[in-house]
Amino acid sequence: QCEQALRDLQPLWPDFDPEARLVQADAEAPELEPKQTREQRAGLERQLHKSERELDEAIQAHNRQCRPGDAVYYTGLESDYDNTLFKTVCGVRQDLDRVYNLLKNNILVDKHNELHRLKESFNSTFVTHLCHQIHQAIKDGERQIELLNRELQHHRFGADRETFRFASEWVPEYRDYARFFEEVMKIPALGEETTLFNTQLSPRSARVRDELMKLLLEEDEHKALRELERIADYRHYRRYEIYKEVEGKEPIPLSEYGTGSGGQLETPAYIIRSAAITSAFRFAEGQNHLRMVLVDEAFMHMDEQRSREVINYLTGSLGLQLIFIMPTSKCGPFIDLISNEFIFAKVPSAQPRGQLNTRVLVDRKVANRERIGELWAQHRRSIYQQAELDFMEDVLEQA
């Protein structure tokens, strides 16, 4: 009866070979211990009960989230563990094979093609919008410093005839990123036939690529974006310094220049601001630029000579339209440098204007710079002559 029950399983599951199993059973029978065998059978029955419950739960979970046509019908255990249940389980296996083949032959093919397209798009975006732009920004920053130094090397400020020079050095943390972006830009046919994932990169660059990929696929989106924004900001890649150079002395980094007076420190401040302006306005690119800068309380800590040098640097060297604001009492030394003058005066108003009892009068003057220059030269000669006369008079009185 048991042998026949075993043979009855074959029509339900053709892959099962009852005769081979009967041969195996005959070989095992002489060594079987009845007590041990009963315990083994009880363990197998417990495992069958557990497996049947897991099958039921798995099918219910599948049916809740699958498409209606992909649902699997299973009634669960209705009687004993007999041929009826085995036939039902075999039917479930066939249904699962059907759903699997359907997904494999249809949906998975579509998803595979879509993933392939997305991967190509990702490779292109990764190279074009991240690697290329950051690499270009780093190079632009280096070029901007070179242009500024080229302009500054011919300009001297103050009585010490001091010059200023921009310098930078790599921040170690970002050096590997910069090397990676540079190596990527040198790969031929990148984005067409070659991608970052099938090309040969140096071990260091491969590690950086994997780190960036990990960030792009990070589950914590906000954390990953913050880190990517930090890496994408080219300003973090270098540590910048400005050196003050005086002939015959060692260059002094301004980060350590804490003993200078207000006027001495204000000159490099204007140089730094000028550098920021030329960088922001991209003077080195194209032909047309906004070239205006407005300075409030201009040169308040600087002496006349240093102020004039900075004004000449901003207007003559950088070609900026400089609008500076200062009290009327302070503007005398700069009259020969200006082309337009606006004088603002607040005066009492005879009739209130809303809540205001004052009004502002504006007077504009267009300066004739050539004539002003002649008058200044004439005035300077007069001062020199008067100084000579006073000196000679003092000498004669002492004689």
Side-chain angles (χ1 to χ4, degrees):
Q1 291 177 354
C2 292
E3 290 178 359
Q4 186 58 41
L6 198 62
R7 291 187 177 96
D8 290 342
L9 297 179
Q10 211 232 346
L12 302 177
W13 194 254
D15 292 342
F16 177 67
D17 186 357
E19 299 304 326
R21 187 69 186 88
L22 287 172
V23 172
Q24 181 181 356
D26 289 337
E28 295 174 352
E31 300 179 359
L32 290 179
E33 294 291 337
K35 182 179 178 180
Q36 182 180 0
T37 303
R38 284 193 292 269
E39 293 177 353
Q40 184 179 5
R41 172 172 175 166
L44 289 173
E45 288 182 349
R46 288 193 298 270
Q47 182 62 40
L48 285 173
H49 281 276
K50 180 181 178 183
S51 298
E52 191 277 330
R53 289 194 300 270
E54 291 177 349
L55 173 65
D56 189 17
E57 294 172 357
I59 291 176
Q60 291 180 22
H62 164 77
N63 291 340
R64 284 195 295 268
Q65 60 184 354
C66 72
R67 299 181 305 175
D70 295 335
V72 176
Y73 179 73
Y74 177 68
T75 57
L77 180 61
E78 295 181 348
S79 59
D80 198 1
Y81 286 79
D82 53 13
N83 287 3
T84 302
L85 178 60
F86 185 76
K87 181 178 180 180
T88 303
V89 172
C90 291
V92 168
R93 172 60 185 267
Q94 292 171 355
D95 283 346
L96 291 175
D97 288 342
R98 174 185 59 81
V99 174
Y100 172 78
N101 291 328
L102 181 65
L103 293 173
K104 180 180 179 181
N105 296 330
N106 298 310
I107 297 177
L108 292 182
V109 171
D110 294 340
K111 294 298 182 183
H112 176 77
N113 293 334
E114 184 178 354
L115 286 173
H116 183 71
R117 291 192 298 270
L118 290 175
K119 184 178 180 181
E120 291 181 348
S121 175
F122 174 81
N123 291 338
S124 175
T125 301
F126 186 82
V127 173
T128 304
H129 297 288
L130 186 64
C131 300
H132 179 75
Q133 289 191 4
I134 297 178
H135 177 73
Q136 190 61 40
I138 294 172
K139 291 299 182 182
D140 289 344
E142 295 176 356
R143 185 167 56 253
Q144 188 63 45
I145 289 181
E146 293 175 359
L147 292 173
L148 290 170
N149 286 335
R150 205 174 301 147
E151 293 178 358
L152 285 171
Q153 65 182 345
H154 303 296
H155 299 279
R156 300 183 179 274
F157 303 88
D160 294 336
R161 310 303 295 161
E162 59 200 28
T163 60
F164 295 92
R165 173 175 58 86
F166 287 83
S168 66
E169 61 180 6
W170 287 104
V171 176
E173 179 187 359
Y174 294 91
R175 188 69 180 100
D176 287 346
Y177 291 118
R179 287 196 184 100
F180 167 72
F181 296 133
E182 184 173 2
E183 184 175 341
V184 169
M185 291 300 102
K186 293 180 179 179
I187 298 175
L190 184 64
E192 299 176 2
E193 302 175 358
T194 307
T195 70
L196 287 177
F197 306 97
N198 59 20
T199 189
Q200 187 67 31
L201 294 174
S202 64
R204 182 179 296 175
S205 295
R207 178 176 56 81
V208 172
R209 178 199 62 194
D210 295 340
E211 289 179 1
L212 293 175
M213 282 293 300
K214 184 178 179 181
L215 286 174
L216 291 168
L217 301 175
E218 173 68 48
E219 292 184 3
D220 189 343
E221 182 179 351
H222 296 290
K223 175 184 175 182
L225 284 176
R226 287 195 302 270
E227 185 66 13
L228 286 171
E229 287 175 357
R230 183 180 70 88
I231 295 173
D233 191 342
Y234 71 94
R235 295 172 297 180
H236 294 158
Y237 282 67
R238 286 181 173 271
R239 186 178 294 110
Y240 298 92
E241 181 63 271
I242 300 177
Y243 287 90
K244 171 186 172 182
E245 297 182 342
V246 180
E247 188 174 352
K249 297 182 180 180
E250 290 292 327
I252 303 173
L254 293 187
S255 60
E256 303 174 6
Y257 188 47
T259 59
S261 66
Q264 289 175 320
L265 289 175
E266 191 148 329
T267 301
Y270 274 101
I271 304 302
I272 296 169
R273 292 166 187 161
S274 303
I277 290 170
T278 56
S279 177
F281 289 171
R282 300 181 182 277
F283 286 175
E285 303 174 15
Q287 300 295 325
N288 300 316
H289 304 89
L290 173 64
R291 288 183 175 267
M292 184 189 74
V293 58
L294 188 145
V295 184
D296 190 14
E297 298 184 356
F299 322 117
M300 60 184 301
H301 296 299
M302 299 170 64
D303 57 37
E304 177 184 337
Q305 182 62 29
R306 191 181 292 266
S307 299
R308 293 175 67 89
E309 291 170 349
V310 170
I311 291 174
N312 286 328
Y313 173 69
L314 294 174
T315 57
S317 301
L318 298 184
L320 293 171
Q321 178 189 16
L322 178 64
I323 301 176
F324 55 90
I325 303 167
M326 59 175 54
T328 306
S329 59
K330 302 289 185 180
C331 67
F334 309 105
I335 291 296
D336 61 327
L337 298 177
I338 65 175
S339 57
N340 289 270
E341 180 181 10
F342 296 85
I343 301 175
F344 297 81
K346 182 182 289 187
V347 299
S349 177
Q351 296 180 350
R353 301 172 63 250
Q355 298 179 354
L356 300 177
N357 294 318
T358 59
R359 64 176 60 202
V360 177
L361 303 180
V362 182
D363 180 30
R364 177 184 179 185
K365 298 179 180 179
V366 180
N368 186 336
R369 299 186 63 179
E370 294 182 1
R371 180 56 179 159
I372 291 175
E374 294 174 0
L375 292 174
W376 270 104
Q378 181 180 346
H379 181 66
R380 191 177 297 109
R381 287 193 298 270
S382 299
I383 294 297
Y384 288 161
Q385 291 174 0
Q386 185 62 47
E388 291 177 359
L389 292 175
D390 292 342
F391 176 76
M392 294 300 299
E393 183 177 352
D394 291 341
V395 172
L396 292 175
E397 287 180 356
Q398 293 175 5

